[in-house]
């Protein structure tokens, strides 16, 4: 069984998701919006975003995040492939969906700086409080970011 | 098992199991600390956000045989302006790497720790271009590797210093020169950093002499550590042309 998984799975040739066909089901689906590209660190993050059912675009898996202290630079990530896709696929918006930690934030800042000259809209996922949680138990950094990213309530 | 309290600056974290992390920190009283932080990768963890690299925290830990266990964390400073600027973040990561390399487990290092926190606080206030270079020289001086800057490190003559060789212990005159050639501006900067003129140097703008001073400093640190610094290899602040196809977008 485990051997079979190892033999059959490959990386999608477009987004580098884990799949059993040359193109993953998301990249092969013509109903997905090709103008929106969600950049994630890891194939498992695709599963997490898909569960939200909020996103109808496509993905790009970087294969990690920048970490100077561990010696991971842009060359070790699929940054070149991302740029090539943005050029070829007429992407209008890139959503930077890396982890909200030091490495993920640094990766998002780096990519934003790299992508902006290409004339593509670059957005970063919001950061805030978990639904169903209690405000008094929130840590100061998360709550601070949630306050900073507040928005007007449409009533 | 004993419980202890200390401060710490988080250097790095690595994933452990399902939701834990091993956190490497430096502290004034316990030197380098490696401790398990349980459940911090879950979004509901209150201490996860506080144990990100660069955070200055106050800690309560249980001492373990190999790894300690973090039980309480309070945030002293997260250095947000540093995190949100790739250039400053790059300098801060190099400082963390250097301090980690100079620290040992269970060896108190109050001066080195204070120096790190002060440097990070300075970086939080201003993007001082010479901070990293100055920090390296100060750390070297603290560890007993201060370079000779007032006269030639080989012959002791007072004339003009034109080269730097870390193995010789400092700057060299025209006759003894070997190693790296240096400009008078860079020599003067190092002299001021080590001679009590640090505040003045930090207020000055970037320039070729500043770059040279930083380069000399990091290579001297590398020589004394006997290893290359990983964090100086990638300059996050300037997206490199090599990662863009045909140099586009860089």
């Amino acid at each position: 069984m485990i051997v079979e998984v190892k033999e059959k799975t490959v990386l999608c040739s477009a987004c580098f998701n884990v799949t059993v066909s040359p193109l993953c089901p998301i990249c092969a689906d013509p109903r997905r919006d090709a103008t929106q590209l969600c950049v994630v660190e890891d194939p498992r993050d695709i599963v997490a975003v898909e569960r939200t059912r909020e996103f109808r675009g496509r993905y790009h898996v970087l294969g990690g995040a920048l970490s100077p202290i561990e010696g991971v630079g842009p060359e070790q990530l699929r940054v070149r492939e991302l740029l090539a896709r943005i050029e070829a696929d007429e992407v209008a918006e890139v959503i930077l969906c890396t982890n909200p930690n030091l490495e993920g934030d640094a990766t998002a800042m780096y990519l934003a700086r790299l992508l902006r000259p290409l004339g593509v809209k670059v957005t970063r996922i919001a950061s805030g409080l978990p639904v169903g949680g209690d405000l008094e138990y929130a840590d100061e950094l998360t709550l601070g970011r949630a306050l900073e990213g507040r928005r007007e309530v449409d009533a | 098992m004993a419980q202890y309290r200390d401060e710490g600056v988080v250097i790095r974290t690595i994933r452990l199991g399902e939701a834990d992390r091993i956190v490497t920190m430096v502290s004034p009283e316990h030197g380098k600390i490696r401790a398990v932080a349980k459940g911090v990768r879950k979004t509901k963890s209150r201490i996860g956000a506080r144990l990100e690299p660069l955070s200055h925290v106050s800690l309560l830990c249980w001492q373990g045989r190999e790894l300690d266990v973090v039980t309480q964390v309070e945030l002293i400073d997260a250095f947000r302006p540093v995190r949100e600027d790739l250039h400053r973040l790059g300098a801060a990561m190099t400082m963390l790497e250097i301090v980690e390399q100079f620290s040992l487990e269970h060896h108190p290092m109050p001066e080195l720790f204070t120096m790190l926190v002060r440097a990070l606080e300075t970086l939080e206030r201003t993007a001082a271009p010479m901070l990293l270079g100055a920090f390296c020289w100060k750390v070297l001086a603290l560890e007993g590797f201060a370079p000779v800057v007032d006269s030639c490190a080989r012959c002791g003559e007072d004339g003009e210093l034109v080269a730097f060789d870390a193995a010789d212990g400092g700057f060299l005159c025209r006759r003894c020169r070997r190693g790296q050639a240096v400009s008078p501006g860079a020599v003067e900067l190092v002299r001021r950093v080590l001679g009590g003129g640090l505040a003045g140097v930090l207020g000055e703008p970037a320039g070729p002499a500043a770059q040279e001073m930083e380069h000399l400093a990091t290579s001297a640190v590398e020589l004394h550590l006997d290893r290359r610094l990983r964090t100086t290899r990638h300059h996050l602040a300037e997206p490199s042309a090599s990662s863009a196809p045909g140099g586009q977008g860089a």
Side-chain angles (χ1 to χ4, degrees):
Chain A
M1 177 72 180
I2 293 170
V3 175
E4 202 179 341
V5 169
K6 179 108 180 103
E7 279 168 359
K8 287 201 176 154
T9 53
V10 287
L11 292 184
C12 169
S13 59
C15 73
F16 302 97
N17 187 8
V18 178
T19 173
V20 288
S21 49
L23 269 187
C24 75
I26 296 170
C27 290
D29 185 348
R31 288 168 303 176
R32 305 284 302 213
D33 182 357
T35 64
Q36 281 193 330
L37 194 64
C38 180
V39 178
V40 295
E41 289 180 21
D42 196 277
R44 277 174 300 186
D45 299 333
I46 294 184
V47 180
V49 178
E50 280 297 286
R51 271 203 306 260
T52 67
R53 302 189 192 185
E54 295 277 340
F55 182 66
R56 298 298 305 158
R58 297 212 165 117
Y59 294 91
H60 184 85
V61 180
L62 286 174
L66 294 177
S67 175
I69 211 150
E70 305 295 341
V72 181
E75 300 78 21
Q76 279 79 40
L77 305 178
R78 297 191 192 97
V79 173
R80 208 185 299 241
E81 292 85 345
L82 173 66
L83 289 168
R85 269 185 89 182
I86 291 169
E87 294 275 302
D89 295 356
E90 291 178 355
V91 174
E93 179 180 359
V94 175
I95 304 166
L96 300 171
C97 200
T98 50
N99 285 330
N101 54 27
L102 184 88
E103 288 88 4
D105 286 339
T107 310
M109 276 193 286
Y110 177 86
L111 289 178
R113 195 182 270 221
L114 192 67
L115 299 179
R116 211 158 284 142
L118 302 181
V120 52
K121 181 176 169 186
V122 182
T123 55
R124 173 90 173 111
I125 49 158
S127 207
L129 300 165
V131 176
D134 250 30
L135 215 61
E136 66 171 310
Y137 293 121
D139 68 273
E140 55 275 47
L141 291 166
T142 309
L143 189 53
R145 278 204 191 188
L147 265 176
E148 195 183 61
R150 69 186 183 276
R151 56 182 175 195
E152 221 170 302
V153 181
D154 299 321
Chain B
M1 284 215 302
Q3 204 170 32
Y4 66 88
R5 215 171 250 292
D6 206 346
E7 280 182 35
V9 170
V10 181
I11 305 282
R12 66 171 93 216
T13 68
I14 47 172
R15 292 176 184 189
L16 177 72
E18 274 293 299
D20 308 341
R21 279 183 188 279
I22 297 176
V23 184
T24 307
M25 294 168 278
V26 287
S27 68
E29 303 302 325
H30 296 80
K32 189 175 357 187
I33 298 175
R34 291 179 72 233
V36 178
K38 294 197 168 151
V40 291
R41 279 156 57 202
K42 292 184 181 162
T43 47
K44 285 196 177 163
S45 165
R46 283 181 81 182
I47 64 173
R50 297 172 188 156
L51 287 175
E52 280 287 289
L54 209 65
S55 294
H56 179 198
V57 292
S58 153
L59 293 162
L60 189 65
C61 292
W62 281 105
Q63 204 151 23
R65 204 173 302 159
E66 290 214 354
L67 293 169
D68 299 348
V69 178
V70 182
T71 51
Q72 268 181 39
V73 185
E74 272 172 59
L75 190 68
I76 298 173
D77 197 344
F79 304 109
R80 257 188 83 175
V82 180
R83 289 166 194 271
E84 290 167 0
D85 174 347
L86 284 175
H87 186 78
R88 288 194 233 183
L89 183 62
M93 294 316 280
T94 305
M95 297 197 297
L96 293 185
E97 185 182 11
I98 292 168
V99 173
E100 185 194 6
Q101 290 302 319
F102 276 112
S103 63
L104 292 169
E105 288 181 36
H106 311 299
H107 274 68
M109 37 169 256
E111 297 94 350
L112 188 56
F113 184 80
T114 308
M115 207 184 265
L116 175 65
V117 171
R118 292 276 177 279
L120 291 174
E121 284 168 354
T122 308
L123 208 53
E124 187 175 27
R125 284 192 304 272
T126 74
M130 279 186 257
L131 187 76
L132 175 59
F135 180 79
C136 292
W137 291 119
K138 285 286 192 189
V139 170
L140 285 172
L142 181 69
E143 296 295 318
F145 302 121
V148 179
V149 284
D150 292 319
S151 56
C152 174
R154 275 170 84 84
C155 68
E157 215 158 280
D158 284 341
E160 193 194 0
L161 302 172
V162 296
F164 176 76
D165 189 52
D168 267 330
F171 293 90
L172 303 167
C173 70
R174 199 166 291 281
R175 209 149 32 99
C176 305
R177 72 177 157 199
R178 56 192 232 176
Q180 216 163 340
V182 293
S183 70
V187 180
E188 185 53 30
L189 282 174
V190 179
R191 201 174 281 153
R192 285 170 60 201
V193 166
L194 294 172
L198 178 65
V201 171
L202 292 182
E204 285 176 23
Q211 263 184 0
E212 196 183 342
M213 188 269 278
E214 182 181 309
H215 180 71
L216 287 176
T218 50
S219 51
V221 167
E222 285 178 341
L223 184 104
H224 287 297
L225 289 172
D226 202 18
R227 76 191 277 279
R228 295 290 304 275
L229 292 171
R230 284 172 162 181
T231 45
T232 52
R233 248 180 294 160
H234 305 292
H235 284 282
L236 297 179
E238 299 114 35
S240 57
S242 63
S243 54
Q248 295 161 342

